[in-house]
Amino acid sequence: MPGFAVSMDKNRVEVSFLRETAPLPQILRNLATSTPFICTRDGVLVAECLLQTQKNAADVVNYAYTTEEDGREMLLYVMDYCRVQGISSVTIGCGNAELDTYALLQRLGFRIVEIWPDYLLDENKVAYVKHSIVNRDFIRFRADLGEETAAFTIR
């Protein structure tokens, strides 16, 4: 994509961009143990994620993007990076009401592997509503990375 660039420099991470994805202390803990992917388009921050790796698997622990196209570009870049590193699978999660993200992940070849019921409820048992759906459950997805790309073309 023209103008799309990725940096993995921890000093360039915009924590405020990730702020809606998790509490600040959790983001900072994850940042300390993760590889960041900071994505810009024509010099403007459009997507960001933190990737934790263990042996043969990786987990996207925090991520945010401005448009589906930017999220797609970022995740394809992360998947290619993992493939080159010899990592065989990537996991990622989203809330049950995050319908756009849910669909994007499936289009990129991610499959549901686990559901954490009530994980997104705060300590007061309060969840937020999105698309008229209570966002309370956390859905975990995994993409197995073969030699060919996990993504496919949507026409």
Side-chain angles (χ1 to χ4, degrees):
M1 202 76 196
F4 192 82
V6 179
S7 169
M8 296 170 64
D9 180 356
K10 281 192 181 191
N11 296 320
R12 294 192 58 205
V13 171
E14 291 287 338
V15 174
S16 61
F17 192 77
L18 292 172
R19 187 62 183 93
E20 290 188 28
T21 68
L24 182 59
Q26 180 184 4
I27 294 170
L28 295 175
R29 269 193 316 274
N30 289 341
L31 180 58
T33 60
S34 300
T35 301
F37 293 83
I38 303 101
C39 307
T40 58
R41 185 175 307 284
D42 300 322
V44 176
L45 179 64
V46 295
E48 197 169 64
C49 76
L50 302 177
L51 182 75
Q52 293 183 341
T53 57
Q54 294 181 355
K55 294 185 182 180
N56 207 18
D59 187 23
V60 177
V61 291
N62 297 103
Y63 63 98
Y65 52 87
T66 54
T67 68
E68 183 175 326
E69 178 182 348
D70 295 327
R72 180 180 185 278
E73 290 293 322
M74 174 186 66
L75 290 172
L76 287 173
Y77 187 94
V78 168
M79 293 165 76
D80 286 342
Y81 168 86
C82 289
R83 214 176 270 110
V84 168
Q85 299 299 313
I87 294 169
S88 64
S89 66
V90 176
T91 57
I92 191 170
C94 73
N96 63 285
E98 306 289 339
L99 302 180
D100 298 335
T101 301
Y102 181 93
L104 171 64
L105 294 174
Q106 291 201 35
R107 282 194 293 275
L108 291 176
F110 286 85
R111 304 290 309 267
I112 296 171
V113 293
E114 193 172 16
I115 299 174
W116 299 347
D118 296 333
Y119 182 81
L120 299 174
L121 295 177
D122 70 13
E123 57 277 353
N124 298 315
K125 299 293 182 193
V126 176
Y128 73 93
V129 176
K130 187 168 185 177
H131 301 295
S132 300
I133 300 169
V134 176
N135 199 40
R136 64 185 303 149
D137 302 327
F138 192 69
I139 302 170
R140 301 278 299 155
F141 295 82
R142 183 180 66 231
D144 294 318
L145 307 176
E147 291 180 17
E148 48 192 70
T149 182
F152 49 91
T153 304
I154 304 297
R155 297 178 196 243

